[in-house]
Amino acid sequence: MKRNIFQVITVVWFLLLSVTVLAQGEAFTPVRNAIRSGSSRELSQYFGSTVELSFDGDKQSYSSTQAEFVMKDFFAKNSPAGFDFVHYGGSNEGTPYAVGKYVSKTGAYRMFVKMKSAQGSLVIDTIDFTKE
């Protein structure tokens, strides 16, 4: 009896964990699509009021408008040949993040995107590109 209860609790816990990961992945779907298409305008719709952008360790905070222009320049110089998120997660505080691989004609990048809650919705707080 105790063994069956433990098995049921374990299965329910894994199901809840799977649902949480799927929900986090769904929050990143429009972000993934914008990055795949290399559209800074589309991506900027998901920016918070300020966004931290980092390229190979050079971090700067930008307003959402400035960040759109920085991403437009990045996409122009490194047009996407492929992109997908390979890992979704969340901090203990519930801050969702995703790690992806961005491939351009000029090279490949590991990409980290962190979102935060603002006015009841998730917005992009940080994007970090690291050349592989």
Side-chain angles (χ1 to χ4, degrees), residues 61-89:
S61 288
Y62 299 95
S63 70
S64 60
T65 304
Q66 291 172 316
E68 179 182 352
F69 286 111
V70 171
M71 289 306 303
K72 182 177 182 176
D73 184 56
F74 177 81
F75 288 143
K77 292 177 181 174
N78 305 280
S79 61
F83 173 75
D84 213 348
F85 286 118
V86 296
H87 175 75
Y88 300 98

Side-chain angles (χ1 to χ4, degrees), residues 2-19:
K2 288 181 182 180
R3 184 173 183 223
N4 289 340
I5 291 173
F6 177 74
Q7 288 175 338
V8 168
I9 290 172
T10 303
V11 168
V12 169
W13 185 79
F14 279 115
L15 287 172
L16 290 174
L17 182 62
S18 297
V19 169

Side-chain angles (χ1 to χ4, degrees), residues 1-131:
M1 177 75 171
K2 288 181 182 180
R3 184 173 183 223
N4 289 340
I5 291 173
F6 177 74
Q7 288 175 338
V8 168
I9 290 172
T10 303
V11 168
V12 169
W13 185 79
F14 279 115
L15 287 172
L16 290 174
L17 182 62
S18 297
V19 169
T20 301
V21 169
L22 285 174
Q24 288 174 345
E26 288 176 13
F28 286 95
T29 298
V31 173
R32 183 193 68 216
N33 294 339
I35 294 167
R36 278 185 179 169
S37 65
S39 174
S40 60
R41 179 174 297 261
E42 189 179 334
L43 184 61
S44 70
Q45 294 176 11
Y46 306 101
F47 287 166
S49 57
T50 61
V51 181
E52 183 178 278
L53 298 178
S54 175
F55 300 93
D56 288 324
D58 182 21
K59 293 182 184 183
Q60 286 195 315
S61 288
Y62 299 95
S63 70
S64 60
T65 304
Q66 291 172 316
E68 179 182 352
F69 286 111
V70 171
M71 289 306 303
K72 182 177 182 176
D73 184 56
F74 177 81
F75 288 143
K77 292 177 181 174
N78 305 280
S79 61
F83 173 75
D84 213 348
F85 286 118
V86 296
H87 175 75
Y88 300 98
S91 69
N92 291 338
E93 294 80 30
T95 303
Y97 65 86
V99 178
K101 183 165 185 167
Y102 181 89
V103 179
S104 75
K105 294 173 184 163
T106 59
Y109 294 85
R110 182 176 37 88
M111 188 175 176
F112 173 80
V113 179
K114 181 177 79 171
M115 298 183 100
K116 68 178 179 180
S117 182
Q119 300 172 349
S121 63
L122 289 174
V123 295
I124 296 173
D125 180 56
T126 303
I127 299 177
D128 182 7
F129 287 91
T130 304
K131 195 156 190 159

